Amino acid sequence: MAFYDKLETRDPQLREDEQLAAVRAQISHAQQKAPYFARVLERIDARDIKDRATLAQIPLTRKADVIELQKSSPPFAGMTSIPMSELGRVYMSPGPMFDPEGKREDYWRFARAMFAAGFRRGDLVHNTFAYHFTPAGFMADMGAHALGCPVFPGGTGQTEMQVSAMAQLKPRCYVGTPSFLRIILEKGDELGADLSSLDRALVSAEALPAALRAWLVERGVATLQCYAMADLGLVAYESSALDGMIADEAVLIELVRPGTGDPVRTGEVGEVVVTTLLPEYPLIRFATGDLSAELPGASPCGRTNMRIKGWLGRADQTAKVKGMFVKPSQLAEVAKRHVEIRKYRLVIDHDARNTDHMTLHCEIEAPGDEVLARTVAATLRTVCNLRGDVVFEAPGALANDGKVIDDRRKYD
Amino acid sequence: MAFYDKLETRDPQLREDEQLAAVRAQISHAQQKAPYFARVLERIDARDIKDRATLAQIPLTRKADVIELQKSSPPFAGMTSIPMSELGRVYMSPGPMFDPEGKREDYWRFARAMFAAGFRRGDLVHNTFAYHFTPAGFMADMGAHALGCPVFPGGTGQTEMQVSAMAQLKPRCYVGTPSFLRIILEKGDELGADLSSLDRALVSAEALPAALRAWLVERGVATLQCYAMADLGLVAYESSALDGMIADEAVLIELVRPGTGDPVRTGEVGEVVVTTLLPEYPLIRFATGDLSAELPGASPCGRTNMRIKGWLGRADQTAKVKGMFVKPSQLAEVAKRHVEIRKYRLVIDHDARNTDHMTLHCEIEAPGDEVLARTVAATLRTVCNLRGDVVFEAPGALANDGKVIDDRRKYD
């Protein structure tokens, strides 16, 4: 069987009709069950949504606003259709932002992406996404279970133990970030461990540079990407055609001009706006802050859904570092805790191994204070849950361009 | 409803008859499906097992031997009745030792202990057991799901973020180690966070000193313990009677004279030997290395199963630090990596907060080498997955008593 299910090869017009019908049902459902959407969609009559043009009349819900919405109406801002007591799990992403998980099997729909990446029933899956706080680990875990794959829950870090587990359990499949897969394979070389059982990987949460993919393929690990997020689960995934990312069947994707809700022309870079068709957390026209572009035509693999290019950057200054969001508001919090910091700018780049690396440049009166630098670094880690270097500079040293996050990573 | 199910209040003789019948079925099953047990139980006819005296004729399988058995026949030493491909998850405990998880709901049977601790359908459960490598996190997670409780998967560490999640999500229930619960509540005080939603806790993986339980109860958190391990899941649990730990209904517990398979008299301290009645990993007369003693009579709460005292120490020198095993073989591995170490002894004690703390004392020729001390500490952390101090001493300074692990923690 070459496809996960028959939805993937639907006639495009049939899919469009079925998805628009599902969107209409979702709007009615959300208006009845989720107070936030009852308010935001007050003037919307679901029956009017006949095509993408009418869909574009519906107000966006911006991911960037969810933190504040949740703060004023905790924990989910009235955006869920079921109470907390009926959920399977609840997560906290940096911000903080809370993400609900429904009880259904494969709630995050990773099985589809895993199948496309070649994972098959009975294959052992080594999962290095974190299960703590974030849903990433469970996205992979629940997807693997839906496929009938046993999981080794490795989580993040502990490279030497990851190598040891792999060498002995001989998984066929890896799921996690691509940079950590490289780190594990290199550590395996160093320790003389045989990790050759691994021949499939599904990677996400960070960019996959072409050079890294080639390196992994040369090591015998066919590596495909998917695009997912903590609120929506799977949004799009690669197939072996390696020709863009195919939309998941449970979401409807639009690309809009950043700052507006207006669809861009096919091929033009726009903000990814997603409407989910699952009932528990009925996000309707959810503006992700991510940039991408639609690819024309259908994938050579036979899947007929729309395709987008990979992640092309952020519509705002929020950045993703090692799979976690870093927000201007978090840096403001770091600065608030140290009165000495007059101005700051976070520079994000790649180190020699293509791993994300961040440096917080701060203007302070007396740049030589190393104790303070360590204290600020500790605060940065506490607030962002990420390590970063801290460099002090003299007042006036940072450019006056309004940037607080300067993402210098190169993606090809 | 005061009990999780009717099994808990069975007539004791009925339970004994049903459990012995289940043990006979388990022996036949294991002989047919698990090559290790086919070999070890070769001379055993299940039909002969009529009571605990005949059960005691069956050879023990020592937990301490499983690491070597797994090494010679990876990954599960032929002790499971189903292939890896049919499992739900696989874990690696320090050693390394691999633990299989079957696909059944609540495989580790924590729902029973959670129910006894007052967890009820719909309660949010904040889970601080780790989901990575070890099954501890999933023991609690799967138990909560069987009860119909949503879970916040907090995992270990990140105290400030745990406080933030609790203050906003307002869980009623906590599951994790008791020392970490105290750390979280104290951090909450420090940050002025309202954690008063918490009123139930199920704790495990380390001792619960009476003073700490009293402190938690005074904070409004009724705290009960359970006794569980990575191979067996739940073994015994407390009820609100607070009078010993009641055996789980899916295991048969014996207490034997350490080093033998012979049952001790009721009340005498012996090694805990467990036979599980679930089919996937049919451990028969599994000698845990833990010491306990049977309490006479039945619990005042109405549950009729046998009761044991809490954990009374280890039958061997293996120690549990912050919920993880530390073994003589691991310390031997640390020493092997540093030729300078001539003799060593790990001292385990409690710090002021009742948190486990370990110090590796090493005899070396030149005790002043701080760079080496840091390197050894890093090796210790890598091998044991636990932080510890390293203290160098002059040759001859350590007592000549054969002890490599000196557990000085006091339990009342």
Side-chain angles (χ1 to χ4, degrees):
Chain A
M1 190 177 68
F3 304 104
Y4 181 65
D5 60 23
K6 289 181 177 166
L7 296 176
E8 294 179 357
T9 50
R10 274 183 286 182
D11 172 78
Q13 188 57 51
L14 173 65
R15 177 185 292 106
E16 188 75 358
D17 293 345
E18 290 181 342
Q19 289 207 328
L20 284 167
V23 168
R24 287 190 290 273
Q26 182 75 306
I27 290 168
S28 303
H29 164 73
Q31 286 172 327
Q32 286 164 44
K33 302 285 190 176
Y36 167 85
F37 287 107
R39 200 168 60 244
V40 169
L41 308 183
E42 197 186 353
R43 290 163 199 282
I44 304 295
D45 185 334
R47 291 167 298 186
D48 295 340
I49 311 305
K50 305 219 182 301
D51 51 26
R52 287 178 179 248
T54 44
L55 179 62
Q57 306 303 312
I58 294 181
L60 298 179
T61 291
R62 293 192 181 281
K63 180 162 179 150
D65 296 334
V66 170
I67 291 170
E68 289 307 318
L69 289 166
Q70 290 187 344
K71 258 188 205 150
S72 38
S73 175
F76 299 122
M79 294 167 81
T80 55
S81 67
I82 54 174
M84 170 103 86
S85 59
E86 294 300 313
L87 294 174
R89 294 188 191 84
V90 184
Y91 302 93
M92 185 171 96
S93 300
M97 182 160 149
F98 296 98
D99 301 303
E101 177 186 286
K103 285 185 181 179
R104 72 179 63 234
E105 184 183 52
D106 193 20
Y107 175 80
W108 306 102
R109 309 175 310 284
F110 258 47
R112 186 179 304 285
M114 289 174 154
F115 187 89
F119 294 26
R120 292 295 180 269
R121 183 177 181 82
D123 289 347
L124 179 63
V125 175
H126 190 113
N127 179 14
T128 65
F129 281 126
Y131 288 74
H132 303 160
F133 284 87
T134 158
F138 278 102
M139 289 187 190
D141 193 274
M142 292 171 86
H145 284 131
L147 273 185
C149 296
V151 174
F152 178 80
T156 50
Q158 308 286 8
T159 310
E160 202 169 314
M161 282 170 63
Q162 308 279 3
V163 168
S164 167
M166 269 189 193
Q168 291 168 90
L169 294 173
K170 305 198 181 307
R172 182 172 182 235
C173 305
Y174 167 92
V175 58
T177 64
S179 59
F180 193 45
L181 176 54
R182 179 177 188 144
I183 288 168
I184 289 172
L185 292 173
E186 289 181 339
K187 175 63 80 175
D189 291 346
E190 188 188 318
L191 299 173
D194 176 7
L195 305 184
S196 63
S197 66
L198 217 62
D199 73 0
R200 294 275 181 271
L202 176 66
V203 301
S204 194
E206 66 184 16
L208 172 62
L212 177 52
R213 168 135 56 187
W215 187 90
L216 292 168
V217 168
E218 214 203 312
R219 297 284 306 228
V221 186
T223 304
L224 298 187
Q225 304 176 81
C226 71
Y227 168 51
M229 56 193 85
D231 10 57
L232 292 161
L234 184 70
V235 174
Y237 61 102
E238 288 186 329
S239 73
S240 55
L242 286 179
D243 193 13
M245 290 194 168
I246 302 157
D248 176 53
E249 300 295 332
V251 296
L252 185 149
I253 302 177
E254 300 169 88
L255 293 156
V256 304
R257 201 166 306 285
T260 77
D262 308 332
V264 296
R265 283 164 303 155
T266 299
E268 209 179 327
V269 173
E271 182 175 4
V272 176
V273 168
V274 180
T275 298
T276 173
L277 307 178
L278 295 187
E280 292 92 340
Y281 191 29
L283 295 170
I284 292 164
R285 298 206 88 213
F286 187 67
T288 62
D290 287 335
L291 297 176
S292 191
E294 184 175 354
L295 288 170
S299 172
C301 69
R303 291 172 180 83
T304 55
N305 210 337
M306 77 171 277
R307 294 174 301 155
I308 56 174
K309 288 188 181 176
W311 184 79
L312 299 177
R314 292 284 301 167
D316 61 21
Q317 279 187 42
T318 298
K320 224 172 185 178
V321 178
K322 293 182 179 168
M324 311 234 291
F325 284 112
V326 177
K327 294 164 196 293
S329 61
Q330 292 176 299
L331 301 178
E333 171 67 15
V334 172
K336 213 179 82 185
R337 297 194 189 182
H338 300 282
V339 289
E340 298 89 341
I341 301 175
R342 297 157 58 130
K343 194 174 169 184
Y344 53 90
R345 178 194 193 99
L346 188 77
V347 175
I348 306 166
D349 49 22
H350 279 143
D351 66 14
R353 271 180 162 174
N354 247 311
T355 300
D356 295 338
H357 176 257
M358 61 186 209
T359 307
L360 185 65
H361 295 261
C362 305
E363 291 185 11
I364 70 165
E365 207 63 53
D369 189 339
E370 287 195 7
V371 174
L372 180 62
R374 279 197 297 275
T375 313
V376 173
T379 304
L380 181 65
R381 186 164 186 227
T382 298
V383 172
C384 297
N385 199 21
L386 284 165
R387 286 177 203 276
D389 295 333
V390 169
V391 172
F392 286 158
E393 317 221 6
L398 298 177
N400 191 20
D401 57 5
K403 262 199 193 173
V404 295
I405 298 183
D406 184 7
D407 192 345
R408 298 184 185 168
R409 293 171 294 188
K410 295 276 178 291
Y411 306 106
D412 37 355
Chain B
M1 190 177 67
F3 303 105
Y4 183 64
D5 60 23
K6 290 181 178 167
L7 296 175
E8 294 180 358
T9 51
R10 274 184 284 182
D11 172 77
Q13 188 57 51
L14 173 65
R15 177 186 293 106
E16 187 76 359
D17 293 346
E18 290 181 344
Q19 289 206 328
L20 283 167
V23 168
R24 286 190 290 274
Q26 183 74 306
I27 291 168
S28 304
H29 164 72
Q31 286 171 326
Q32 287 164 44
K33 300 286 189 175
Y36 167 85
F37 287 107
R39 199 166 63 243
V40 168
L41 307 183
E42 194 185 358
R43 290 163 199 282
I44 303 294
D45 184 334
R47 290 168 298 184
D48 296 338
I49 310 304
K50 304 221 180 298
D51 51 25
R52 285 178 181 250
T54 44
L55 179 62
Q57 306 303 313
I58 295 180
L60 299 179
T61 291
R62 293 192 181 283
K63 179 161 178 149
D65 296 334
V66 170
I67 292 170
E68 289 307 318
L69 287 166
Q70 289 186 346
K71 258 188 205 152
S72 37
S73 175
F76 299 122
M79 295 167 80
T80 55
S81 66
I82 52 175
M84 172 101 86
S85 59
E86 293 300 313
L87 294 173
R89 295 187 190 86
V90 184
Y91 302 93
M92 185 170 95
S93 300
M97 180 160 149
F98 296 98
D99 302 302
E101 177 185 286
K103 285 184 181 178
R104 71 179 63 233
E105 184 183 51
D106 194 18
Y107 174 80
W108 307 101
R109 308 175 312 285
F110 258 47
R112 186 180 303 286
M114 290 173 153
F115 187 89
F119 293 27
R120 292 295 179 273
R121 183 179 180 80
D123 288 347
L124 179 62
V125 176
H126 190 114
N127 180 13
T128 65
F129 281 127
Y131 289 74
H132 304 158
F133 284 87
T134 160
F138 278 103
M139 288 188 191
D141 193 273
M142 293 171 87
H145 284 132
L147 272 185
C149 295
V151 174
F152 178 80
T156 51
Q158 307 286 9
T159 310
E160 201 168 315
M161 281 169 64
Q162 307 279 2
V163 169
S164 166
M166 270 191 193
Q168 291 169 89
L169 295 173
K170 304 196 182 309
R172 183 172 180 234
C173 305
Y174 167 91
V175 59
T177 64
S179 59
F180 192 44
L181 176 53
R182 180 178 187 142
I183 288 168
I184 289 172
L185 291 172
E186 288 181 339
K187 175 62 80 176
D189 291 346
E190 189 189 318
L191 299 173
D194 177 8
L195 305 184
S196 63
S197 66
L198 218 60
D199 72 2
R200 295 276 180 271
L202 176 67
V203 301
S204 195
E206 67 185 14
L208 173 61
L212 178 51
R213 168 134 57 185
W215 187 92
L216 292 168
V217 168
E218 214 204 312
R219 297 283 307 227
V221 186
T223 304
L224 298 188
Q225 304 176 80
C226 70
Y227 169 51
M229 56 193 85
D231 10 58
L232 291 161
L234 184 69
V235 174
Y237 61 102
E238 288 187 328
S239 74
S240 55
L242 285 178
D243 193 14
M245 290 193 167
I246 302 156
D248 176 52
E249 300 295 332
V251 296
L252 185 149
I253 302 178
E254 299 169 90
L255 293 156
V256 305
R257 203 166 306 284
T260 76
D262 308 332
V264 297
R265 281 164 306 155
T266 300
E268 209 179 325
V269 173
E271 182 175 2
V272 177
V273 168
V274 180
T275 298
T276 174
L277 307 177
L278 294 187
E280 292 91 342
Y281 191 30
L283 294 170
I284 292 165
R285 298 206 87 215
F286 187 67
T288 62
D290 287 336
L291 296 177
S292 192
E294 184 176 353
L295 287 170
S299 172
C301 70
R303 291 173 179 84
T304 56
N305 209 338
M306 77 171 279
R307 293 172 302 154
I308 56 174
K309 286 189 181 174
W311 184 78
L312 299 177
R314 292 286 301 168
D316 62 21
Q317 279 188 42
T318 298
K320 224 172 183 177
V321 177
K322 293 183 179 167
M324 310 236 292
F325 284 111
V326 178
K327 294 164 197 291
S329 62
Q330 291 176 299
L331 301 178
E333 172 67 16
V334 173
K336 213 180 83 186
R337 297 196 189 181
H338 299 283
V339 289
E340 298 89 341
I341 300 175
R342 297 157 58 129
K343 193 172 168 184
Y344 54 91
R345 178 194 193 97
L346 188 76
V347 175
I348 306 167
D349 50 21
H350 280 142
D351 68 12
R353 271 181 163 174
N354 245 310
T355 300
D356 295 338
H357 177 258
M358 62 187 210
T359 308
L360 185 65
H361 294 262
C362 305
E363 289 185 12
I364 70 163
E365 207 64 53
D369 190 340
E370 287 196 6
V371 173
L372 180 62
R374 279 198 296 277
T375 313
V376 173
T379 305
L380 180 65
R381 185 163 187 229
T382 298
V383 172
C384 297
N385 199 20
L386 284 163
R387 286 177 203 276
D389 296 332
V390 169
V391 172
F392 286 158
E393 317 221 7
L398 298 177
N400 189 20
D401 57 3
K403 263 199 190 172
V404 295
I405 299 184
D406 184 7
D407 192 345
R408 298 184 185 168
R409 292 172 294 187
K410 295 275 178 291
Y411 305 108
D412 36 356

